[in-house]
Amino acid sequence: MTERTAARASAKRVSEGGPGGLRGGSLGVADIVFFVVAAAAPLAVVAGAAPLAFRLGGVGAAGAYVFSGLVYLACAAGLTAFARHVRSAGAFYAFVARGLGRPPAVGTAIVALISYALICFGFFGFLGFYARSSIADLTGIDLHWSVYAFLGVAVVGVLGYRQITIGAKVLGVLMCAEVLILLAISVAVLATEGTSHFSLEPFSPSRVFDSGAGGMFVMALGAFLGFESTAIYSEEAKHPSRTVPRATYVAVAFLGIFYGFVTWIATAALGVDGLEKLAGSDAFQGMYFVFASDYLGPWAKAAMDVLMITSLFAATLAFHNATSRYLFALGRERIVPRFLGEAHPRFASPARASLAVTIGAAVLVLVTVLLNGDPYLHLLLWTNGVGIVGIVLLQLLCMIAVIRFFSRDRRGHGTFRVCIAPALGAVGLAVGLWLMLGNFELLTGMEGWANAWLVAPMIVLGLAGTAWALRLRRRDPARYASLGAGEGTSAEPAAEG
C-alpha cells in the first residue's frame, strides 16, 4: 500500500460524528466565537495585562493591540482557507503535516500540546490568585489561593468531560458580562470627560513602534492567543466551510477593535501625561478598577472583582478544551497512548484526554503549593511565558505551511488570501516572536540563562518528535503514512517529507 493510499484509508476509518468520533454539527458561529473570545479573556487582558503594557510601552499600547489584530486578521485569511481542506481537532499538527510534511508536524504537535497545557495550568494559578483577593475584599473571607485553584480544576474538569455545548453556553454568558462592564466604563468615561483628553497619539507609529516599547507587544500579541482554535472545532462545527471562517474573522476583528478602543479609553480618562504618570506608579495594576469606581460607582468595582474571576474561569475552560482536543488528536495518531484518542460514547467528547488534562493541572497546582510557590509570579508567569512563545512560533510555522500548501495549487482561492495575506501574517508574527524573546524576562521575572532553561525543554521535545517521525519513516512506513491523516482530517495526504 502506498503512503498516499494509506493516508486516505486512515482518514476514512471513522466517519464524522460516528462512533468514536466527536459530535459533528453541534457548534454554530456564535458558539465558536464565544470559545475564542473567552479564551482571550477580555477582562483579564484589559484589567490585568493592559496596565503592564502601558507601563512597558507607554500610551502606544492601544495601537499595539490594533496592530496585533491586523496581523492576526492576515493570518486568519490563510488559516480559514486551509481549514476547508484540513479539518482536525489538532489544527496546528494537521496544518503543518499538510503543508510542511509529517516529521515537522509531529514536532509541532508536541510543542502545541505543551504550550496549550502550560497556559491552561498557569491560568489555574491566576484564577486562584484573583479569587482569593476578590473574595476577601467582597466578603472578608481569606482562604488560601489553592482552595480556589483546586475548585476551578474540579469544575473545569467536569465541564470538559461532558459535551462541548455545555461549555459554550457557560462561556457565552460570562464573556458577554465582562465585555459589557468594560463598555459601560468606556461610555461613562466619554460621557464625563468628553473631548478634553481626546488624542490619537496612542495610534501614532512613533509611539507604537518606539525602540523602547517592544515589551508591550508581549502583552498585545499574547492577548489574541487562541484565535486559531476556530479550526480546532472544525470537526464539530455546523457547515464548517462557512462557520469556521466567519467565526475566525468575527472573533479576531472584535478583539482587535475592542482592545484598541478600551485601552484608548485610559488616555481619554487621564490624558497622555496622566496615563504615563499612573503607569509609572505603584498603583498602575488597579487602573481599570479605579476607573470602574470613579466613573460608575463602588458597585462597578465589586462587579469587576466578580467578573475578573469569571473571566479567568472562562479562559481556563477554553484552554482546557483546546488542550484536550490536541491530546485527543494525538491519541488518534498514536503519538501519545491511543486510549487518549477515544471519544466518550454518550457525550461524544474527548473525555479521557480531558481527564488527563485535569489530572495534570491538579498535580502542578499541588507541586506549587508544596514548594511554597507564588500562584502569579511562578505558576502563571513561568508557564504562560513558555506557552505564549510556543504558540506564536507554531502560528508562524502554520503560516509558512499555508503558503507552501497553496503554492502548488490555489484550489480556487485568490492569491491575496492564500499567498499575500499569510506572508504578511508571517512577517508580523516573526517580528512579534523576536520581540517576545528579546523581552522574555518581562513574562517570567527572571534574567539570563534561567529563561533559556524554561524554553529549552519545549524546543528539545519538539525536535525529538521530529526525529521520532523520521525514524518511524524508516522502520514502519505504513504507520508513518497515517501520520497527519487521522480521523476527522481531510482525505488529502500529508505533504511528503
Side-chain angles (χ1 to χ4, degrees):
M1 180 182 292
T2 66
E3 289 188 6
R4 184 178 296 270
T5 303
R8 285 176 174 167
S10 177
K12 295 179 180 178
R13 268 183 245 141
V14 178
S15 62
E16 182 183 1
L22 299 179
R23 180 174 296 166
S26 62
L27 297 177
V29 172
D31 293 323
I32 299 176
V33 169
F34 285 154
F35 271 102
V36 176
V37 176
L43 185 59
V45 166
V46 173
L52 181 57
F54 287 126
R55 191 179 183 90
L56 298 173
V59 298
Y65 281 108
V66 173
F67 172 79
S68 299
L70 293 174
V71 169
Y72 282 118
L73 277 176
C75 294
L79 182 73
T80 55
F82 210 177
R84 294 184 62 180
H85 305 278
V86 183
R87 295 169 56 199
S88 174
F92 281 134
Y93 168 59
F95 289 170
V96 174
R98 292 297 188 274
L100 300 179
R102 298 176 181 88
V106 174
T108 292
I110 293 173
V111 172
L113 177 61
I114 294 172
S115 298
Y116 271 112
L118 286 175
I119 291 173
C120 176
F121 298 164
F123 263 67
F124 284 111
F126 203 4
L127 176 62
F129 173 81
Y130 257 101
R132 177 187 180 182
S133 63
S134 296
I135 292 176
D137 289 342
L138 293 169
T139 67
I141 299 174
D142 189 6
L143 301 177
H144 194 267
W145 67 268
S146 63
V147 174
Y148 302 107
F150 280 122
L151 180 61
V153 169
V155 175
V156 168
V158 171
L159 292 175
Y161 188 87
R162 296 179 63 86
Q163 60 183 336
I164 193 172
T165 51
I166 296 176
K169 293 173 183 177
V170 173
L171 290 174
V173 172
L174 298 178
M175 184 268 289
C176 289
E178 62 188 88
V179 167
L180 287 174
I181 191 67
L182 289 171
L183 289 178
I185 294 171
S186 301
V187 171
V189 169
L190 293 177
T192 303
E193 302 295 341
T195 60
S196 59
H197 294 144
F198 183 85
S199 174
L200 293 178
E201 193 170 346
F203 304 101
S204 169
S206 62
R207 284 287 198 171
V208 177
F209 301 104
D210 180 83
S211 59
M216 68 183 174
F217 277 97
V218 177
M219 303 292 108
L221 287 169
F224 290 84
L225 290 183
F227 95 98
E228 76 290 334
S229 63
T230 54
I232 292 174
Y233 298 112
S234 60
E235 289 185 52
E236 299 156 279
K238 301 173 184 176
H239 311 294
S241 62
R242 298 194 302 271
T243 300
V244 171
R246 289 174 183 174
T248 306
Y249 290 132
V250 169
V252 175
F254 170 77
L255 288 174
I257 295 171
F258 181 76
Y259 289 149
F261 173 67
V262 178
T263 51
W264 173 80
I265 284 297
T267 306
L270 302 171
V272 172
D273 294 337
L275 176 57
E276 291 182 334
K277 182 178 179 180
L278 180 58
S281 72
D282 293 336
F284 80 97
Q285 191 66 53
M287 183 184 301
Y288 280 88
F289 292 92
V290 172
F291 292 160
S293 180
D294 289 350
Y295 289 95
L296 291 176
W299 69 268
K301 165 64 167 58
M304 286 271 286
D305 283 331
V306 174
L307 289 173
M308 190 69 171
I309 299 173
T310 60
S311 175
L312 291 169
F313 171 79
T316 306
L317 177 56
F319 278 114
H320 174 96
N321 285 335
T323 306
S324 299
R325 277 151 183 78
Y326 265 105
L327 191 58
F328 174 81
L330 298 189
R332 292 193 305 195
E333 298 284 347
R334 292 187 294 168
I335 295 173
V336 298
R338 189 173 180 83
F339 74 89
L340 293 170
E342 297 177 8
H344 194 283
R346 176 184 173 189
F347 303 129
S349 66
R352 292 180 177 179
S354 176
L355 183 60
V357 174
T358 299
I359 293 172
V363 168
L364 197 54
V365 171
L366 179 61
V367 169
T368 304
V369 173
L370 293 177
L371 296 179
N372 199 30
D374 186 274
Y376 185 91
L377 297 176
H378 301 141
L379 182 53
L380 173 68
L381 293 184
W382 290 7
T383 56
N384 278 239
V386 177
I388 289 169
V389 167
I391 288 184
V392 173
L393 172 61
L394 296 178
Q395 290 168 344
L396 174 58
L397 287 176
C398 189
M399 289 303 101
I400 296 172
V402 169
I403 294 170
R404 186 170 185 267
F405 180 83
F406 288 107
S407 66
R408 299 184 289 269
D409 180 359
R410 294 206 305 271
R411 292 166 170 78
H413 299 291
T415 301
F416 179 83
R417 183 177 183 184
V418 298
C419 297
I420 298 175
L424 292 174
V427 171
L429 291 172
V431 171
L433 184 62
W434 179 78
L435 290 169
M436 283 184 176
L437 293 174
N439 296 274
F440 195 64
E441 67 276 4
L442 299 174
L443 292 173
T444 64
M446 299 188 295
E447 297 181 355
W449 285 99
N451 291 312
W453 282 109
L454 281 177
V455 177
M458 178 178 64
I459 303 300
V460 170
L461 288 173
L463 293 174
T466 302
W468 175 82
L470 290 170
R471 185 169 178 265
L472 187 67
R473 181 169 62 182
R474 297 192 303 270
R475 297 199 170 193
D476 192 348
R479 184 179 173 190
Y480 173 81
S482 70
L483 295 178
E487 292 88 339
T489 64
S490 69
E492 289 187 65
E496 297 298 327

